Amino acid sequence: METKRWNIKNDKTYNHQAIEDAAERLKAGKTIAFPTETVYGLGADATNEAAVAKIFKAKGRPQDNPLIAHVATVEQLSRLVDDIPVYAVQLMEAFSPGPLTYILPNNGTCADNVTAGQTTIGVRIPDHPVAQALLERADVPVAAPSANLSGKPSPTLADHVWADLHGRIDGLLDGGPTGVGLESTVIDCTQEIPIILRPGGVTKEQLEEVVGTVMTDPGLANEKEKPKSPGMKYRHYSPEVPLWLVGGKPEHIQTIINKEKTRGNRLGILASERTAGLIQADEIISLGTDITEIAAHLYDGLRKFKQGDVDIIICEAFSEDGIGQAVMNRLKKAATEYIQ
Ligand code: TXA
Ligand code: MG
């Protein structure tokens, strides 16, 4: 299949023929990748079962992993679900549009394969002008997982989508780099107290400021318990070469680098700007000065080291405060080793 690519990076009006064209294709049952404020999504009309099936096929996604339905407004969101609790309304007022996905009872408007056998559905209002314009024009809920091959890091640039999916999808709207760089926070809103199923762009601290106590799914931290979100049980975000997550001071990281060098291994390092300036290795990528920048550059960093360039990637472990919780969640899933 030929993948149409529209470049709208420099179009600040987003009132472009490209959006019109992409929306028409979505409505016709085709798959379109588009930027959101978190990562690129691979969209299809969520009410069209055959269109949704194309997403699973293109990504090689396990059939039991449900998709998030994207809409432009709270009003459209409420048409897909039943029983929105008061705290979810408060969260929507505070964080939507934005990087927060609500798990709510499904009312059956979307096709069955969107929810992959769950009685609930994930719904989100993305905060990106291209995503907003596309959803408005298409005027259907759009099922959209991250637009990567299953198992790979999520795409934060159109080139990442292209590398994984060209020839497998109908279109790609290139709106430049995404902002947050990590996926939305997924929050279960079917219980008395909201539960974080996947940490992401909205932090636990931010959620608690609005609704008080928020729990985190124990299945995320505890290897023995099954996560409540089907997607969280898979290994994920994996770069081409083994990734070691290493905690402690820069000297600790350097000791490990030196040991591996004597074994003849070539090392690629992902670290904060500060740590990157203190260590020596074959290849070093600075992810940024603070955790927000690190989150935004993480997936691109994971994709940059290719097989043949380095034998092992070492990534510095970061503090789990704020968006650090999401950064570390992704790194622990991507890593083959965690040396603390
Ligand atoms: O930021 C994001 O959320 C991006 C952009 C494109 O919106 N989308 C994204 O989708 O990350 P995906 O499919 O890669 O991840 C969705 C996660 C998966 O872990 C999935 O299992 C979980 O949300 N999920 C979806 N529906 C669910 C449900 N009904 N119950 C529990 N977990 C659900
Ligand atoms: Mg994904």
Side-chain angles (χ1 to χ4, degrees):
M1 141 190 345
E2 202 194 320
T3 304
K4 167 99 186 155
R5 182 168 176 164
W6 300 272
N7 182 349
I8 51 167
K9 279 201 278 289
N10 301 317
D11 176 10
K12 293 295 173 224
T13 66
Y14 301 116
N15 189 21
H16 200 277
Q17 186 59 36
I19 303 265
E20 203 75 57
D21 208 1
E24 280 312 309
R25 288 177 197 229
L26 266 183
K27 281 205 276 199
K30 302 198 165 184
T31 49
I32 302 289
F34 60 97
T36 80
E37 81 282 29
T38 57
V39 300
Y40 275 77
L42 176 59
D45 176 354
T47 63
N48 178 339
E49 181 143 15
V52 172
K54 292 179 188 167
I55 293 178
F56 284 90
K57 186 157 178 249
K59 282 183 57 100
R61 183 175 176 102
Q63 295 292 332
D64 68 346
N65 194 2
L67 308 178
I68 298 169
H70 295 66
V71 289
T73 65
V74 171
E75 205 268 314
Q76 290 172 335
L77 185 158
S78 64
R79 281 190 237 148
L80 307 181
V81 299
D82 286 326
D83 308 322
I84 305 180
V86 172
Y87 69 74
V89 175
Q90 292 168 335
L91 290 174
M92 286 171 200
E93 279 167 8
F95 299 111
S96 289
L100 187 60
T101 295
Y102 310 90
I103 303 298
L104 288 160
N106 179 22
N107 76 5
T109 302
C110 290
D112 284 349
N113 51 353
V114 172
T115 50
Q118 308 280 321
T119 57
T120 54
I121 184 164
V123 284
R124 161 163 133 77
I125 305 173
D127 186 16
H128 188 290
V130 173
Q132 279 279 338
L134 182 67
L135 291 169
E136 270 163 31
R137 297 294 164 86
D139 200 28
V140 289
V142 172
S146 49
N148 51 282
L149 281 174
S150 222
K152 295 258 229 130
S154 295
T156 50
L157 295 171
D159 282 346
H160 298 159
V161 180
W162 191 257
D164 276 14
L165 296 176
H166 84 264
R168 306 172 72 93
I169 62 176
D170 296 296
L172 164 60
L173 282 163
D174 179 354
T178 60
V180 180
L182 296 179
E183 301 85 345
S184 63
T185 302
V186 176
I187 191 151
D188 180 358
C189 298
T190 66
Q191 310 292 320
E192 209 127 303
I193 293 177
I195 308 169
I196 294 173
L197 304 187
R198 175 178 74 179
V202 176
T203 66
K204 185 164 195 270
E205 294 86 338
Q206 289 174 312
L207 295 167
E208 288 189 326
E209 261 178 47
V210 176
V211 292
T213 308
V214 172
M215 295 191 354
T216 301
D217 177 10
L220 290 184
N222 182 341
E223 296 265 303
K224 284 183 215 101
E225 248 178 277
K226 205 170 131 202
K228 289 190 173 53
S229 175
M232 299 308 280
K233 68 174 184 275
Y234 298 106
R235 215 177 100 75
H236 245 324
Y237 319 110
S238 309
E240 283 189 12
V241 280
L243 170 74
W244 295 5
L245 183 58
V246 180
K249 299 211 161 67
E251 302 85 79
H252 180 228
I253 300 175
Q254 189 68 58
T255 309
I256 293 169
I257 294 170
N258 295 348
K259 189 160 138 214
E260 289 311 314
K261 273 219 78 81
T262 61
R263 291 185 174 158
N265 283 321
R266 273 183 67 79
L267 279 295
I269 313 301
L270 296 172
S272 65
E273 176 105 8
R274 185 178 165 274
T275 303
L278 293 171
I279 55 180
Q280 287 183 314
D282 299 301
E283 293 191 40
I284 303 177
I285 294 177
S286 160
L287 295 174
T289 53
D290 60 34
I291 195 71
T292 306
E293 270 181 42
I294 290 167
H297 299 141
L298 180 66
Y299 289 150
D300 187 48
L302 287 175
R303 280 174 179 264
K304 272 210 174 109
F305 290 123
K306 305 283 184 208
Q307 239 160 15
D309 299 345
V310 297
D311 303 302
I312 301 166
I313 303 170
I314 288 184
C315 182
E316 176 181 14
F318 304 101
S319 150
E320 301 206 18
D321 295 338
I323 199 165
Q325 190 191 8
V327 170
M328 285 297 288
N329 168 270
R330 306 303 191 270
L331 281 172
K332 285 177 195 167
K333 283 190 165 296
T336 48
E337 311 253 351
Y338 185 11
I339 306 167
Q340 273 165 298

